[in-house]
Amino acid sequence: IIMNKNELFTLWVEGELDEFTKLCLKSWLRLGYTIKLFMYDEPSPLDISEFPQVQFLDASDIIEYNEELESYAEQADWFRFNYLYLNGGTWIDTDEFLIKKIPDHNIIISSEACKKTGAYAVKGRDFTPNIGVLRFPKGNKIIEETINKCNNAIKKELKSNSNRNSLMKIFQKIVLRICPKLVSHPFEYCPISWAYCKDIYCLPNIKSTNKFMIVQPDMGYIIQHSVGIHLWRNLALQKGYYDKKIDNCIFNKLLGLVN
């Protein structure tokens, strides 16, 4: 089965699309991608009219909404793993802005920089896999094991009422055990680290400071070399960075590229 690498799929659980998603959708469309946007809710007529090129689809046709999961983020994790196993393809987060086309690899696993000093510092590696951009063939064994272990973890938690690892952490452990060399460098899809999230909204460029020993390129390097930029929606909203954004910030400059 030949994978359509010019097609992206993603999930927006419910409600009208936010400004992060609209910006990122425009960046994908600008590069000529076809987009499958799945929802567990009826899409807004305003969103359909603004994005007539996007296919708005029912997420329940892939996997039913799982009431046992803890958040919309986990619903998205559960959905993407099941879609990848059943269909194969390229998943992309709704806060991933694309600068250029995604490389023509059969497997893609994005990553982010690790904290190297202080509490929760990671020893032995500079970055860790994440699930912002994923591409796998249909029926892949890594995804199959991920789904099985996630299922077991959810059932175990329900029986024992104990905390469990997030679904992303289950996937990360499997990837680091089986195929760590397939993980992309953070500069490809997440060149602005979580530690510099504020700069996306409050500065016109990235400060060249050292936070937690994370190497951080400036925007000139990112625009030239990176595939995409993760905009850290949840962190930006939680910390209030998005609400305080300045006119010439990085976010607004990206907006200018697609409008």
Short mmCIF file of all heavy atoms in Angstrom, two decimals, residues 127-193:
data_model
loop_
_atom_site.label_atom_id
_atom_site.label_comp_id
_atom_site.label_asym_id
_atom_site.label_seq_id
_atom_site.Cartn_x
_atom_site.Cartn_y
_atom_site.Cartn_z
N PHE A 127 17.46 15.17 23.58
CA PHE A 127 16.06 15.38 23.18
C PHE A 127 15.28 14.09 23.33
O PHE A 127 15.86 13.00 23.44
CB PHE A 127 15.97 15.93 21.76
CG PHE A 127 16.69 15.14 20.70
CD1 PHE A 127 16.06 14.13 20.00
CD2 PHE A 127 18.01 15.44 20.38
CE1 PHE A 127 16.71 13.42 19.00
CE2 PHE A 127 18.67 14.75 19.37
CZ PHE A 127 18.02 13.73 18.69
N THR A 128 13.97 14.24 23.34
CA THR A 128 13.10 13.09 23.57
C THR A 128 11.99 13.08 22.53
O THR A 128 11.53 14.15 22.10
CB THR A 128 12.50 13.15 25.00
OG1 THR A 128 11.91 11.91 25.31
CG2 THR A 128 11.48 14.25 25.14
N PRO A 129 11.56 11.90 22.07
CA PRO A 129 10.49 11.86 21.07
C PRO A 129 9.20 12.46 21.61
O PRO A 129 8.91 12.37 22.79
CB PRO A 129 10.33 10.36 20.78
CG PRO A 129 10.96 9.64 21.93
CD PRO A 129 12.03 10.55 22.44
N ASN A 130 8.45 13.10 20.71
CA ASN A 130 7.10 13.54 21.06
C ASN A 130 6.15 13.13 19.93
O ASN A 130 6.54 12.35 19.05
CB ASN A 130 7.05 15.04 21.39
CG ASN A 130 7.36 15.92 20.20
OD1 ASN A 130 7.27 15.51 19.03
ND2 ASN A 130 7.75 17.16 20.46
N ILE A 131 4.94 13.63 19.95
CA ILE A 131 3.95 13.13 18.99
C ILE A 131 3.31 14.26 18.20
O ILE A 131 2.21 14.14 17.70
CB ILE A 131 2.88 12.27 19.70
CG1 ILE A 131 2.29 13.01 20.90
CG2 ILE A 131 3.46 10.94 20.13
CD1 ILE A 131 1.22 12.22 21.64
N GLY A 132 4.05 15.37 18.04
CA GLY A 132 3.54 16.52 17.29
C GLY A 132 3.41 16.25 15.81
O GLY A 132 2.46 16.67 15.17
N VAL A 133 4.41 15.57 15.25
CA VAL A 133 4.38 15.14 13.85
C VAL A 133 4.77 13.67 13.83
O VAL A 133 5.86 13.31 14.29
CB VAL A 133 5.34 15.96 12.96
CG1 VAL A 133 5.28 15.48 11.51
CG2 VAL A 133 5.01 17.45 13.03
N LEU A 134 3.88 12.83 13.32
CA LEU A 134 4.13 11.39 13.25
C LEU A 134 3.73 10.88 11.88
O LEU A 134 2.67 11.24 11.37
CB LEU A 134 3.32 10.62 14.30
CG LEU A 134 3.63 10.86 15.78
CD1 LEU A 134 2.64 10.06 16.63
CD2 LEU A 134 5.05 10.45 16.11
N ARG A 135 4.59 10.04 11.30
CA ARG A 135 4.21 9.33 10.07
C ARG A 135 4.59 7.87 10.22
O ARG A 135 5.74 7.55 10.54
CB ARG A 135 4.90 9.92 8.85
CG ARG A 135 4.55 9.17 7.55
CD ARG A 135 5.33 9.69 6.36
NE ARG A 135 4.87 11.01 5.98
CZ ARG A 135 5.61 11.90 5.33
NH1 ARG A 135 6.88 11.62 5.04
NH2 ARG A 135 5.12 13.09 5.00
N PHE A 136 3.60 7.00 10.01
CA PHE A 136 3.84 5.55 10.07
C PHE A 136 3.02 4.87 8.98
O PHE A 136 1.92 5.32 8.65
CB PHE A 136 3.41 4.99 11.43
CG PHE A 136 4.39 5.23 12.54
CD1 PHE A 136 4.27 6.35 13.35
CD2 PHE A 136 5.42 4.33 12.79
CE1 PHE A 136 5.16 6.57 14.39
CE2 PHE A 136 6.32 4.55 13.82
CZ PHE A 136 6.19 5.67 14.62
N PRO A 137 3.53 3.75 8.46
CA PRO A 137 2.71 2.95 7.57
C PRO A 137 1.59 2.26 8.34
O PRO A 137 1.67 2.07 9.55
CB PRO A 137 3.70 1.90 7.01
CG PRO A 137 5.06 2.36 7.41
CD PRO A 137 4.90 3.22 8.62
N LYS A 138 0.55 1.88 7.65
CA LYS A 138 -0.58 1.14 8.22
C LYS A 138 -0.08 -0.14 8.90
O LYS A 138 0.78 -0.84 8.37
CB LYS A 138 -1.56 0.79 7.09
CG LYS A 138 -2.73 -0.05 7.50
CD LYS A 138 -3.62 -0.31 6.28
CE LYS A 138 -4.78 -1.23 6.62
NZ LYS A 138 -5.64 -1.47 5.44
N GLY A 139 -0.62 -0.44 10.08
CA GLY A 139 -0.32 -1.70 10.76
C GLY A 139 1.07 -1.79 11.37
O GLY A 139 1.52 -2.88 11.72
N ASN A 140 1.74 -0.64 11.55
CA ASN A 140 3.11 -0.65 12.08
C ASN A 140 3.16 -1.26 13.49
O ASN A 140 2.30 -1.00 14.33
CB ASN A 140 3.64 0.78 12.10
CG ASN A 140 5.05 0.87 12.61
OD1 ASN A 140 5.26 1.06 13.80
ND2 ASN A 140 6.02 0.72 11.72
N LYS A 141 4.19 -2.05 13.75
CA LYS A 141 4.31 -2.77 15.03
C LYS A 141 4.54 -1.84 16.22
O LYS A 141 4.11 -2.13 17.34
CB LYS A 141 5.45 -3.80 14.94
CG LYS A 141 5.21 -4.92 13.94
CD LYS A 141 4.02 -5.76 14.31
CE LYS A 141 3.81 -6.93 13.36
NZ LYS A 141 2.57 -7.69 13.68
N ILE A 142 5.22 -0.71 16.00
CA ILE A 142 5.45 0.25 17.09
C ILE A 142 4.11 0.83 17.55
O ILE A 142 3.84 0.93 18.76
CB ILE A 142 6.41 1.37 16.63
CG1 ILE A 142 7.80 0.80 16.35
CG2 ILE A 142 6.48 2.49 17.67
CD1 ILE A 142 8.72 1.75 15.62
N ILE A 143 3.28 1.18 16.58
CA ILE A 143 1.96 1.73 16.91
C ILE A 143 1.06 0.65 17.52
O ILE A 143 0.31 0.92 18.48
CB ILE A 143 1.31 2.35 15.66
CG1 ILE A 143 2.20 3.48 15.10
CG2 ILE A 143 -0.08 2.87 15.97
CD1 ILE A 143 2.42 4.63 16.05
N GLU A 144 1.15 -0.56 17.02
CA GLU A 144 0.35 -1.66 17.58
C GLU A 144 0.71 -1.88 19.05
O GLU A 144 -0.18 -2.01 19.91
CB GLU A 144 0.59 -2.94 16.79
CG GLU A 144 -0.23 -4.12 17.29
CD GLU A 144 0.00 -5.38 16.47
OE1 GLU A 144 1.11 -5.55 15.91
OE2 GLU A 144 -0.92 -6.21 16.40
N GLU A 145 2.00 -1.91 19.37
CA GLU A 145 2.42 -2.10 20.77
C GLU A 145 1.97 -0.92 21.62
O GLU A 145 1.54 -1.10 22.77
CB GLU A 145 3.94 -2.28 20.85
CG GLU A 145 4.41 -2.54 22.27
CD GLU A 145 5.92 -2.78 22.39
OE1 GLU A 145 6.58 -3.06 21.36
OE2 GLU A 145 6.42 -2.68 23.53
N THR A 146 2.05 0.29 21.06
CA THR A 146 1.61 1.48 21.79
C THR A 146 0.13 1.38 22.16
O THR A 146 -0.25 1.62 23.32
CB THR A 146 1.84 2.75 20.94
OG1 THR A 146 3.25 2.90 20.68
CG2 THR A 146 1.33 3.98 21.66
N ILE A 147 -0.71 1.02 21.20
CA ILE A 147 -2.14 0.90 21.45
C ILE A 147 -2.42 -0.16 22.52
O ILE A 147 -3.21 0.06 23.45
CB ILE A 147 -2.90 0.57 20.15
CG1 ILE A 147 -2.85 1.77 19.20
CG2 ILE A 147 -4.35 0.17 20.44
CD1 ILE A 147 -3.37 1.48 17.81
N ASN A 148 -1.76 -1.31 22.42
CA ASN A 148 -1.97 -2.38 23.40
C ASN A 148 -1.57 -1.95 24.80
O ASN A 148 -2.30 -2.20 25.78
CB ASN A 148 -1.19 -3.63 22.98
CG ASN A 148 -1.78 -4.30 21.74
OD1 ASN A 148 -2.96 -4.11 21.44
ND2 ASN A 148 -0.97 -5.05 21.02
N LYS A 149 -0.41 -1.28 24.92
CA LYS A 149 0.06 -0.87 26.25
C LYS A 149 -0.79 0.27 26.81
O LYS A 149 -1.03 0.34 28.02
CB LYS A 149 1.53 -0.47 26.18
CG LYS A 149 2.44 -1.68 25.97
CD LYS A 149 3.87 -1.42 26.37
CE LYS A 149 4.64 -2.74 26.38
NZ LYS A 149 6.06 -2.57 26.73
N CYS A 150 -1.27 1.16 25.94
CA CYS A 150 -2.17 2.22 26.40
C CYS A 150 -3.48 1.63 26.91
O CYS A 150 -3.99 2.03 27.97
CB CYS A 150 -2.45 3.20 25.26
SG CYS A 150 -1.07 4.27 24.82
N ASN A 151 -4.01 0.67 26.17
CA ASN A 151 -5.24 -0.02 26.59
C ASN A 151 -5.07 -0.66 27.96
O ASN A 151 -5.91 -0.52 28.85
CB ASN A 151 -5.60 -1.10 25.57
CG ASN A 151 -6.83 -0.76 24.77
OD1 ASN A 151 -7.75 -0.12 25.28
ND2 ASN A 151 -6.86 -1.17 23.52
N ASN A 152 -3.96 -1.36 28.13
CA ASN A 152 -3.68 -2.04 29.41
C ASN A 152 -3.54 -1.04 30.55
O ASN A 152 -4.02 -1.28 31.66
CB ASN A 152 -2.42 -2.90 29.30
CG ASN A 152 -2.61 -4.09 28.38
OD1 ASN A 152 -3.74 -4.53 28.16
ND2 ASN A 152 -1.52 -4.63 27.84
N ALA A 153 -2.87 0.09 30.27
CA ALA A 153 -2.66 1.10 31.31
C ALA A 153 -3.98 1.73 31.75
O ALA A 153 -4.21 1.97 32.94
CB ALA A 153 -1.71 2.18 30.79
N ILE A 154 -4.86 1.98 30.79
CA ILE A 154 -6.17 2.57 31.12
C ILE A 154 -6.99 1.60 31.96
O ILE A 154 -7.59 1.98 32.97
CB ILE A 154 -6.91 2.96 29.82
CG1 ILE A 154 -6.18 4.10 29.11
CG2 ILE A 154 -8.35 3.38 30.14
CD1 ILE A 154 -6.62 4.32 27.68
N LYS A 155 -7.02 0.33 31.54
CA LYS A 155 -7.78 -0.68 32.29
C LYS A 155 -7.23 -0.86 33.70
O LYS A 155 -7.98 -0.97 34.67
CB LYS A 155 -7.75 -2.00 31.54
CG LYS A 155 -8.58 -2.00 30.26
CD LYS A 155 -8.40 -3.30 29.50
CE LYS A 155 -9.17 -3.28 28.19
NZ LYS A 155 -8.89 -4.48 27.37
N LYS A 156 -5.90 -0.89 33.81
CA LYS A 156 -5.26 -1.07 35.12
C LYS A 156 -5.59 0.10 36.04
O LYS A 156 -5.88 -0.08 37.23
CB LYS A 156 -3.75 -1.19 34.94
CG LYS A 156 -2.99 -1.48 36.22
CD LYS A 156 -1.51 -1.63 35.95
CE LYS A 156 -0.73 -1.89 37.23
NZ LYS A 156 0.73 -1.99 36.99
N GLU A 157 -5.57 1.32 35.48
CA GLU A 157 -5.88 2.49 36.29
C GLU A 157 -7.32 2.44 36.79
O GLU A 157 -7.61 2.78 37.93
CB GLU A 157 -5.65 3.77 35.47
CG GLU A 157 -5.93 5.03 36.29
CD GLU A 157 -5.99 6.28 35.44
OE1 GLU A 157 -6.46 6.19 34.29
OE2 GLU A 157 -5.59 7.33 35.93
N LEU A 158 -8.24 2.04 35.92
CA LEU A 158 -9.65 1.98 36.31
C LEU A 158 -9.87 0.96 37.43
O LEU A 158 -10.69 1.18 38.32
CB LEU A 158 -10.51 1.63 35.10
CG LEU A 158 -10.62 2.73 34.03
CD1 LEU A 158 -11.34 2.21 32.81
CD2 LEU A 158 -11.32 3.96 34.59
N LYS A 159 -9.14 -0.14 37.38
CA LYS A 159 -9.29 -1.18 38.41
C LYS A 159 -8.68 -0.77 39.74
O LYS A 159 -9.22 -1.01 40.81
CB LYS A 159 -8.65 -2.49 37.92
CG LYS A 159 -9.48 -3.23 36.87
CD LYS A 159 -8.78 -4.52 36.49
CE LYS A 159 -9.59 -5.30 35.45
NZ LYS A 159 -8.91 -6.55 35.04
N SER A 160 -7.50 -0.14 39.67
CA SER A 160 -6.75 0.14 40.90
C SER A 160 -6.89 1.57 41.39
O SER A 160 -6.44 1.91 42.47
CB SER A 160 -5.26 -0.15 40.67
OG SER A 160 -4.73 0.73 39.69
N ASN A 161 -7.48 2.44 40.53
CA ASN A 161 -7.61 3.87 40.85
C ASN A 161 -6.24 4.50 41.11
O ASN A 161 -6.09 5.38 41.94
CB ASN A 161 -8.52 4.08 42.07
CG ASN A 161 -9.02 5.51 42.14
OD1 ASN A 161 -9.14 6.17 41.12
ND2 ASN A 161 -9.30 5.98 43.34
N SER A 162 -5.25 4.03 40.39
CA SER A 162 -3.89 4.56 40.55
C SER A 162 -3.52 5.42 39.35
O SER A 162 -4.14 5.33 38.29
CB SER A 162 -2.89 3.41 40.67
OG SER A 162 -2.89 2.64 39.48
N ASN A 163 -2.54 6.28 39.52
CA ASN A 163 -2.07 7.11 38.42
C ASN A 163 -1.30 6.26 37.42
O ASN A 163 -0.71 5.25 37.76
CB ASN A 163 -1.16 8.23 38.95
CG ASN A 163 -1.92 9.23 39.79
OD1 ASN A 163 -3.10 9.46 39.55
ND2 ASN A 163 -1.26 9.80 40.77
N ARG A 164 -1.31 6.71 36.17
CA ARG A 164 -0.56 6.00 35.14
C ARG A 164 0.24 7.01 34.33
O ARG A 164 0.01 8.23 34.40
CB ARG A 164 -1.53 5.26 34.21
CG ARG A 164 -2.52 6.18 33.51
CD ARG A 164 -3.38 5.42 32.54
NE ARG A 164 -4.57 6.19 32.18
CZ ARG A 164 -4.60 7.15 31.27
NH1 ARG A 164 -3.50 7.46 30.62
NH2 ARG A 164 -5.70 7.81 31.01
N ASN A 165 1.16 6.49 33.53
CA ASN A 165 1.87 7.35 32.60
C ASN A 165 0.91 7.86 31.54
O ASN A 165 -0.06 7.19 31.19
CB ASN A 165 3.00 6.57 31.92
CG ASN A 165 4.22 6.45 32.81
OD1 ASN A 165 4.48 7.31 33.64
ND2 ASN A 165 4.98 5.39 32.64
N SER A 166 1.18 9.05 31.00
CA SER A 166 0.38 9.55 29.89
C SER A 166 0.57 8.65 28.68
O SER A 166 1.56 7.91 28.56
CB SER A 166 0.79 10.98 29.54
OG SER A 166 2.07 10.97 28.92
N LEU A 167 -0.37 8.70 27.74
CA LEU A 167 -0.27 7.88 26.54
C LEU A 167 0.97 8.25 25.73
O LEU A 167 1.60 7.38 25.12
CB LEU A 167 -1.54 8.05 25.69
CG LEU A 167 -2.88 7.76 26.38
CD1 LEU A 167 -4.02 7.73 25.35
CD2 LEU A 167 -2.85 6.47 27.18
N MET A 168 1.33 9.54 25.74
CA MET A 168 2.54 9.95 25.02
C MET A 168 3.78 9.31 25.65
O MET A 168 4.68 8.87 24.94
CB MET A 168 2.69 11.46 25.01
CG MET A 168 3.94 11.92 24.23
SD MET A 168 4.08 13.71 24.04
CE MET A 168 4.55 14.20 25.69
N LYS A 169 3.83 9.25 26.98
CA LYS A 169 5.01 8.66 27.63
C LYS A 169 5.12 7.17 27.33
O LYS A 169 6.24 6.64 27.21
CB LYS A 169 4.95 8.91 29.13
CG LYS A 169 5.26 10.36 29.51
CD LYS A 169 5.31 10.56 31.01
CE LYS A 169 5.68 12.00 31.35
NZ LYS A 169 5.69 12.24 32.81
N ILE A 170 3.99 6.50 27.20
CA ILE A 170 4.02 5.08 26.83
C ILE A 170 4.64 4.93 25.45
O ILE A 170 5.51 4.08 25.23
CB ILE A 170 2.59 4.50 26.87
CG1 ILE A 170 2.11 4.41 28.32
CG2 ILE A 170 2.53 3.12 26.19
CD1 ILE A 170 0.63 4.09 28.48
N PHE A 171 4.23 5.78 24.51
CA PHE A 171 4.79 5.77 23.15
C PHE A 171 6.29 6.09 23.19
O PHE A 171 7.10 5.42 22.53
CB PHE A 171 4.04 6.78 22.28
CG PHE A 171 4.64 7.01 20.93
CD1 PHE A 171 4.50 6.07 19.91
CD2 PHE A 171 5.35 8.18 20.65
CE1 PHE A 171 5.05 6.29 18.66
CE2 PHE A 171 5.90 8.41 19.41
CZ PHE A 171 5.75 7.46 18.40
N GLN A 172 6.66 7.11 23.96
CA GLN A 172 8.07 7.51 24.04
C GLN A 172 8.96 6.35 24.49
O GLN A 172 10.04 6.12 23.93
CB GLN A 172 8.23 8.68 25.02
CG GLN A 172 7.71 9.99 24.49
CD GLN A 172 7.69 11.07 25.56
OE1 GLN A 172 7.58 10.79 26.76
NE2 GLN A 172 7.77 12.32 25.14
N LYS A 173 8.52 5.63 25.51
CA LYS A 173 9.33 4.51 26.04
C LYS A 173 9.52 3.43 24.99
O LYS A 173 10.60 2.84 24.86
CB LYS A 173 8.67 3.94 27.30
CG LYS A 173 8.80 4.85 28.51
CD LYS A 173 8.15 4.21 29.74
CE LYS A 173 8.31 5.11 30.97
NZ LYS A 173 7.70 4.51 32.18
N ILE A 174 8.46 3.15 24.22
CA ILE A 174 8.55 2.13 23.18
C ILE A 174 9.53 2.58 22.09
O ILE A 174 10.38 1.80 21.64
CB ILE A 174 7.15 1.85 22.59
CG1 ILE A 174 6.27 1.18 23.64
CG2 ILE A 174 7.24 0.98 21.33
CD1 ILE A 174 4.80 1.12 23.28
N VAL A 175 9.43 3.83 21.67
CA VAL A 175 10.31 4.35 20.62
C VAL A 175 11.77 4.33 21.08
O VAL A 175 12.66 3.90 20.34
CB VAL A 175 9.89 5.78 20.22
CG1 VAL A 175 10.96 6.46 19.38
CG2 VAL A 175 8.58 5.75 19.45
N LEU A 176 12.03 4.77 22.31
CA LEU A 176 13.41 4.81 22.81
C LEU A 176 13.99 3.40 22.96
O LEU A 176 15.20 3.22 22.86
CB LEU A 176 13.46 5.56 24.14
CG LEU A 176 13.22 7.08 24.04
CD1 LEU A 176 13.06 7.69 25.42
CD2 LEU A 176 14.35 7.76 23.27
N ARG A 177 13.14 2.41 23.18
CA ARG A 177 13.61 1.02 23.28
C ARG A 177 13.85 0.39 21.91
O ARG A 177 14.83 -0.30 21.70
CB ARG A 177 12.56 0.19 24.03
CG ARG A 177 13.04 -1.22 24.38
CD ARG A 177 11.93 -2.07 24.99
NE ARG A 177 11.08 -2.65 23.96
CZ ARG A 177 9.78 -2.45 23.84
NH1 ARG A 177 9.14 -1.66 24.69
NH2 ARG A 177 9.09 -3.02 22.88
N ILE A 178 12.97 0.68 20.96
CA ILE A 178 13.01 -0.03 19.67
C ILE A 178 13.76 0.72 18.58
O ILE A 178 14.56 0.13 17.84
CB ILE A 178 11.56 -0.31 19.18
CG1 ILE A 178 10.86 -1.27 20.15
CG2 ILE A 178 11.56 -0.89 17.78
CD1 ILE A 178 9.40 -1.53 19.80
N CYS A 179 13.52 2.04 18.47
CA CYS A 179 14.05 2.74 17.29
C CYS A 179 14.46 4.17 17.60
O CYS A 179 13.99 5.11 16.93
CB CYS A 179 13.02 2.71 16.17
SG CYS A 179 11.42 3.44 16.66
N PRO A 180 15.35 4.40 18.57
CA PRO A 180 15.72 5.78 18.90
C PRO A 180 16.36 6.54 17.75
O PRO A 180 16.25 7.77 17.67
CB PRO A 180 16.71 5.61 20.07
CG PRO A 180 17.21 4.20 19.95
CD PRO A 180 16.06 3.41 19.40
N LYS A 181 17.00 5.82 16.82
CA LYS A 181 17.67 6.49 15.70
C LYS A 181 16.70 7.06 14.67
O LYS A 181 17.08 7.84 13.81
CB LYS A 181 18.64 5.53 15.02
CG LYS A 181 19.85 5.19 15.90
CD LYS A 181 20.85 4.30 15.19
CE LYS A 181 22.05 4.01 16.09
NZ LYS A 181 23.03 3.12 15.43
N LEU A 182 15.42 6.67 14.76
CA LEU A 182 14.42 7.20 13.83
C LEU A 182 13.83 8.53 14.29
O LEU A 182 13.07 9.16 13.57
CB LEU A 182 13.28 6.19 13.65
CG LEU A 182 13.60 4.89 12.90
CD1 LEU A 182 12.36 4.00 12.82
CD2 LEU A 182 14.13 5.19 11.50
N VAL A 183 14.19 8.96 15.50
CA VAL A 183 13.63 10.20 16.06
C VAL A 183 14.31 11.41 15.42
O VAL A 183 15.54 11.49 15.36
CB VAL A 183 13.80 10.22 17.59
CG1 VAL A 183 13.24 11.53 18.16
CG2 VAL A 183 13.11 9.02 18.22
N SER A 184 13.51 12.35 14.94
CA SER A 184 14.04 13.58 14.33
C SER A 184 14.68 14.47 15.39
O SER A 184 14.33 14.41 16.57
CB SER A 184 12.91 14.36 13.65
OG SER A 184 12.23 13.58 12.71
N HIS A 185 15.60 15.32 14.95
CA HIS A 185 16.19 16.32 15.85
C HIS A 185 15.13 17.38 16.15
O HIS A 185 14.30 17.70 15.29
CB HIS A 185 17.41 16.96 15.18
CG HIS A 185 18.24 17.77 16.12
ND1 HIS A 185 17.91 19.07 16.48
CD2 HIS A 185 19.38 17.47 16.79
CE1 HIS A 185 18.82 19.53 17.32
NE2 HIS A 185 19.72 18.58 17.53
N PRO A 186 15.12 17.97 17.36
CA PRO A 186 14.14 19.01 17.68
C PRO A 186 14.12 20.17 16.70
O PRO A 186 13.07 20.78 16.48
CB PRO A 186 14.57 19.49 19.08
CG PRO A 186 15.28 18.33 19.68
CD PRO A 186 15.95 17.62 18.55
N PHE A 187 15.27 20.48 16.10
CA PHE A 187 15.33 21.61 15.17
C PHE A 187 14.42 21.42 13.96
O PHE A 187 14.08 22.37 13.27
CB PHE A 187 16.76 21.86 14.70
CG PHE A 187 17.66 22.49 15.73
CD1 PHE A 187 17.21 22.75 17.02
CD2 PHE A 187 18.96 22.83 15.42
CE1 PHE A 187 18.04 23.33 17.97
CE2 PHE A 187 19.80 23.42 16.37
CZ PHE A 187 19.33 23.67 17.64
N GLU A 188 14.03 20.17 13.66
CA GLU A 188 13.17 19.94 12.49
C GLU A 188 11.75 20.42 12.72
O GLU A 188 11.18 21.13 11.90
CB GLU A 188 13.18 18.45 12.11
CG GLU A 188 14.45 18.00 11.42
CD GLU A 188 14.28 16.69 10.68
OE1 GLU A 188 13.52 16.67 9.69
OE2 GLU A 188 14.89 15.69 11.10
N TYR A 189 11.12 19.98 13.83
CA TYR A 189 9.70 20.27 14.05
C TYR A 189 9.41 21.06 15.32
O TYR A 189 8.28 21.51 15.52
CB TYR A 189 8.90 18.96 14.09
CG TYR A 189 9.06 18.15 12.82
CD1 TYR A 189 9.92 17.04 12.79
CD2 TYR A 189 8.39 18.51 11.66
CE1 TYR A 189 10.09 16.31 11.62
CE2 TYR A 189 8.56 17.78 10.49
CZ TYR A 189 9.41 16.69 10.49
OH TYR A 189 9.58 15.99 9.32
N CYS A 190 10.41 21.21 16.17
CA CYS A 190 10.20 21.91 17.44
C CYS A 190 11.43 22.76 17.77
O CYS A 190 12.03 22.62 18.83
CB CYS A 190 9.94 20.87 18.54
SG CYS A 190 9.15 21.51 20.01
N PRO A 191 11.81 23.65 16.82
CA PRO A 191 13.07 24.38 17.00
C PRO A 191 13.01 25.42 18.11
O PRO A 191 14.05 25.84 18.62
CB PRO A 191 13.28 25.04 15.63
CG PRO A 191 11.90 25.20 15.08
CD PRO A 191 11.15 24.00 15.56
N ILE A 192 11.80 25.89 18.47
CA ILE A 192 11.66 26.79 19.61
C ILE A 192 11.24 25.93 20.80
O ILE A 192 10.12 25.41 20.85
CB ILE A 192 10.63 27.90 19.35
CG1 ILE A 192 11.04 28.72 18.13
CG2 ILE A 192 10.50 28.81 20.58
CD1 ILE A 192 10.06 29.82 17.74
N SER A 193 12.16 25.75 21.72
CA SER A 193 11.91 24.87 22.88
C SER A 193 10.79 25.44 23.76
O SER A 193 10.53 26.64 23.77
CB SER A 193 13.20 24.75 23.68
OG SER A 193 12.94 24.35 25.00
#
